[in-house]
Amino acid sequence: MARKRKISESSSDAFVASDSEADDAYTPKAAGSSRKASTKIAKKTRAPQKRPAQKKPRKGKDKAVDASDDDDDSREERALPHASSTHTISSTQARSIRTALLAWYDTVHEVRGMPWRKPFDHSWSAEQQAQRAYEVWISEIMLQQTQVVTVIPYYNKWMAKFPTLSELAKSDIDTVNGLWKGLGYYSRAARILQGAQKAVTELGGQLPDNAKDMEAKIPGIGRYSAGAICSIAYNQCVPVLDGNVHRLLSRFLALYTPPKAKQGLDILWEGATALIEGADRAGDTNQALIELGSTVCKVHDPLCGDCPIQPWCKAYAWRVMDEKVGDTVNPDSLVPSSEQELPDIEDLCVLCRPLPKPTLVTSYPMKVERKKAREELDVVSVIEWRPTTNANDHDRWFLLVRRPEGGLLAGLHEFPTTPNVSVSLPQNMVTFAQTALHQLIERPPAQVSQQMSPPAPSLPSPNSVQGHLSEDDLRIVKTTEAGDVLHIFSHIRKTYRVQWVLLVGGSGGGGGCGASAIDNAYSEQQHVAHGAVEQSGSGTSPPPPSLQALPPILRTTARPEQSAGSGTYKSKKPAATRTKGEWGSTTNVAEKTLDTTPLEAKWVRMNDVSKANVGTGVLKVWKQVQTLWRNIDS
């Protein structure tokens, strides 16, 4: 048994809390000193600062949770020496904790109405368990960085469209992105499709039935997701550690260390493992931990009085101890006195950092300084084509470009965009649109040099432009700034500087392209165009194919998209010629590595733009341009 050592303030030896995790975090005893010589505990504090006035406790808030600002960085710190075993859970404790946890979970598991939550049935066949694994997989990926209330309608819609893994595997990225539209983090949807197709082609049409293979073989599934899926669907005793459980166990074990440090994460995973090992209801145990962290052990204002595992919570115990000290004695009396005992020095925890004073439950987990989102400015060109300036809505087409299949907003469409440009923009922003047009259109309009025009009361008349170019020539007749749109990602603060660019003429392929090219391009899919008109709800019937005006042909071929009713006119650029930093790229302009994603663009009718597979940032840009048009009309 480890020896206990008495603590005295008279000794010159000291334990110093250190950022180092090495053994030399301790100051050794002087040579020849007695084993009974005591050790002084030094307190590591920040420079004294003025402490903020405490707020009055809010009604209904648990007494054990202090009402002061738990995000305040001006509070002093103190070291609270403790044994490493503080951060462990014994098997005996785990059984008692699990019993209390499941008793609580049985009363709340249906409260939030999650359709993917079903009790495990030991009579399920292997096929039924695999189906449950698919359902849980979809819910878990959707729930990443997304609230439950937001996910529920998306989940229901998804399962109605793709009730089984095999049905999903038959789909395509456009259909999947269409269902995912609005959830954000679109790469998740792409990985789900990839995972389903891999499971069907390589794994016998089912997800793996164990966490190890699940994590190794299915794209986008990490340790947490594999544990959640396999514990819930297969009743496998594997741990989970998402953000909610991380916070819960950091408090439960009073672990005050950088939240992403490997040694700290290892301790939390060990704690989660201890709670699940030997569980009869593995899935319910993990779901109970997640539910407890989400609804009770919240980031702010945790409901400690409602917590079923509060009797074992070490952060709560520290808080109660601090509260008992109160203002009548020195708060530093929490540091053990000469009559208190500590484990032998080899047993002391060297991971935890000094805690802020007063010690709150919300002090855990340790706060880290968030990286400031980088600022980026993109120029977005909303490029519109009309056969004539006075065309109706049915004949107004807009150019969309598909983003690469990897990275930010993977596989979604956007207006031609020049990313991460200098804040000191040239006054003539039309050059950005011209660059895009030359990359995408088979016969782009001639270069123009006129300056960006402010919003004008009306469009130029057809006669005013025909004096310079013939009606068969594609030309830019108007460029107007539409203003800035702010869109915030998790790591980027993006400003879209929007301009509206109006093209006229060049029907069916740009200057000089004969009518036969128009007819040939359109004859393959006459029913598609007709369906698009009906879908857009314009209320007008399209003219016969020979009389329909088509947008300019895109590189390298031009034909309507193959899906019925899409209202799109699509082309692919097969050669991979873009470098990262050119418009349509997904990365910083400073990175000049080759992007091998084929450049793909399409024309979309006005009434179908908002129905396309676009992100919320593009919808913001679209609304901004529509506001510009209303201002012009008024």
Side-chain angles (χ1 to χ4, degrees), residues 22 115 129 225 355 445 493 513 529 551 576 578 592:
Q129 291 184 11
S225 296
L355 278 160
R493 184 181 174 88
C513 183
R578 285 186 297 163
K592 293 298 183 181

Side-chain angles (χ1 to χ4, degrees), residues 2-5 26 35 83 342-349:
R3 292 176 179 266
K4 303 289 184 178
R5 305 181 63 187
Y26 299 99
R35 289 190 62 86
L342 285 176
D344 195 82
I345 198 167
E346 287 81 6
D347 296 330
L348 283 172
C349 174

Side-chain angles (χ1 to χ4, degrees), residues 137 165-173 176 189-207 217-219:
W137 176 38
L165 186 71
S166 59
E167 288 296 322
L168 171 60
K170 298 174 186 176
S171 188
D172 58 81
I173 188 61
V176 168
R191 285 195 293 267
I192 286 178
L193 180 59
Q194 293 168 8
Q197 293 171 342
K198 182 176 182 180
V200 168
T201 58
E202 301 178 19
L203 304 175
Q206 295 181 353
L207 294 173
K217 297 179 179 181
I218 303 300

Side-chain angles (χ1 to χ4, degrees), residues 46-77:
R46 296 182 181 178
Q49 300 183 41
K50 183 178 179 181
R51 294 179 59 186
Q54 292 189 346
K55 302 174 185 177
K56 293 182 180 181
R58 285 169 280 200
K59 290 184 179 180
K61 190 172 183 179
D62 194 274
K63 181 180 179 181
V65 182
D66 194 280
S68 62
D69 186 0
D70 55 302
D71 292 327
D72 179 28
D73 290 331
S74 65
R75 289 182 283 160
E76 295 181 352
E77 296 176 338

Side-chain angles (χ1 to χ4, degrees), residues 58-265:
R58 285 169 280 200
K59 290 184 179 180
K61 190 172 183 179
D62 194 274
K63 181 180 179 181
V65 182
D66 194 280
S68 62
D69 186 0
D70 55 302
D71 292 327
D72 179 28
D73 290 331
S74 65
R75 289 182 283 160
E76 295 181 352
E77 296 176 338
R78 60 158 171 263
L80 296 178
H82 55 276
S84 297
S85 59
T86 301
H87 311 312
T88 61
I89 302 173
S90 69
S91 58
T92 302
Q93 285 179 320
R95 285 192 293 271
S96 300
I97 294 166
R98 195 161 55 237
T99 298
L101 183 65
L102 289 173
W104 169 82
Y105 179 71
D106 288 340
T107 67
V108 301
H109 72 280
E110 295 181 344
V111 170
R112 293 200 283 170
M114 304 182 203
W116 53 85
R117 251 189 202 169
K118 303 173 185 176
F120 180 80
D121 189 338
H122 289 274
S123 67
W124 281 340
S125 65
E127 290 75 15
Q128 288 173 314
Q129 291 184 11
Q131 175 63 22
R132 278 294 291 140
Y134 167 65
E135 295 167 0
V136 176
W137 176 38
I138 299 303
S139 69
E140 287 296 333
I141 302 303
M142 284 186 171
L143 286 166
Q144 293 173 5
Q145 306 292 328
T146 313
Q147 295 181 348
V148 168
V149 67
T150 301
V151 167
I152 289 175
Y154 281 91
Y155 176 84
N156 289 332
K157 185 169 61 173
W158 181 284
M159 298 310 298
K161 178 71 174 179
F162 305 124
T164 64
L165 186 71
S166 59
E167 288 296 322
L168 171 60
K170 298 174 186 176
S171 188
D172 58 81
I173 188 61
D174 286 335
T175 303
V176 168
N177 276 340
L179 282 178
W180 201 270
K181 186 176 179 180
L183 271 179
Y185 299 93
Y186 290 88
S187 59
R188 297 180 294 172
R191 285 195 293 267
I192 286 178
L193 180 59
Q194 293 168 8
Q197 293 171 342
K198 182 176 182 180
V200 168
T201 58
E202 301 178 19
L203 304 175
Q206 295 181 353
L207 294 173
D209 61 359
N210 64 88
K212 182 179 179 181
D213 288 343
M214 185 82 72
E215 183 178 356
K217 297 179 179 181
I218 303 300
I221 293 185
R223 185 177 180 183
Y224 161 74
S225 296
I229 296 167
C230 291
S231 63
I232 296 171
Y234 302 118
N235 205 38
Q236 185 182 1
C237 291
V238 284
V240 296
L241 190 69
D242 71 341
N244 290 315
V245 180
H246 184 290
R247 179 175 61 256
L248 171 68
L249 290 182
S250 294
R251 293 170 178 174
F252 187 79
L253 300 174
L255 183 66
Y256 194 74
T257 188
K260 294 186 179 180
K262 182 182 183 303
Q263 288 180 291
L265 288 173

Side-chain angles (χ1 to χ4, degrees), residues 173 177 187 190 194 402-407 410-411 597 600:
I173 188 61
N177 276 340
S187 59
Q194 293 168 8
R402 189 190 187 103
R403 293 181 64 88
E405 295 302 329
T597 305
E600 178 183 338

